[in-house]
Amino acid sequence: MKIPKDLKYTNDHEWVKIEGDVATVGITDFAQGELGDIVYVEVETVDETLAREEVFGTVEAVKTVSDLFAPLSGEIIEFNESLEDEPEKVNTDPYGEGWMVKIKFSDASELEDLLSAEEYTEVVEG
């Protein structure tokens, strides 16, 4: 299981990459492994402003459907449209081509609530 040290994480098994005031968000290697083969990613919140913890979309796997929660408050500015045709990218490259959305975040203080790679490792290893 990969947990890149240069990213931040949530207890909901999402990763966050911060570049300026934009956060790229996806689900972690642990999450995609737990879900199994991902067959569909739905995000209909582009151009909407959401509060942290609000649902921004869903990911559907062979055995379940899971909500995706915004790790930071802000506007969903982009959806990785390649996932419409190739949702399996979330399984094969969760930290790269399997990213899901970009959020222009509005409250930098929320960054303090994200987990480091070490803290997230403790979450998944229990």
Side-chain angles (χ1 to χ4, degrees):
M1 173 178 56
K2 295 189 321 190
I3 302 176
K5 296 207 178 303
D6 61 329
L7 303 176
K8 296 291 188 183
Y9 300 87
T10 71
N11 285 315
D12 295 317
H13 306 288
E14 292 164 344
W15 59 264
V16 182
K17 181 178 182 181
I18 305 299
E19 296 172 293
D21 62 353
V22 174
T24 303
V25 179
I27 64 171
T28 64
D29 191 29
F30 174 82
Q32 70 80 21
E34 292 291 302
L35 288 168
D37 292 336
I38 292 170
V39 296
Y40 189 67
V41 177
E42 180 176 47
V43 173
E44 294 184 351
T45 52
V46 174
D47 298 329
E48 291 183 23
T49 298
L50 303 178
R52 183 174 65 176
E53 310 269 324
E54 274 193 273
V55 174
F56 72 79
T58 57
V59 60
E60 183 176 339
V62 172
K63 50 186 173 174
T64 189
V65 176
S66 293
D67 287 335
L68 299 166
F69 300 95
L72 300 165
S73 300
E75 181 183 356
I76 307 294
I77 58 171
E78 188 176 344
F79 167 57
N80 182 356
E81 293 182 6
S82 72
L83 298 181
E84 290 179 349
D85 296 324
E86 298 177 88
E88 65 276 6
K89 285 182 178 180
V90 176
N91 292 116
T92 59
D93 191 11
Y95 300 113
E97 291 186 4
W99 68 273
M100 295 183 173
V101 295
K102 293 189 179 189
I103 301 171
K104 184 174 172 73
F105 60 90
S106 56
D107 185 352
S109 71
E110 292 177 350
L111 296 171
E112 297 169 20
D113 297 326
L114 298 174
L115 305 174
S116 68
E118 293 77 17
E119 291 166 326
Y120 181 68
T121 300
E122 291 176 21
V123 169
V124 296
E125 293 180 353

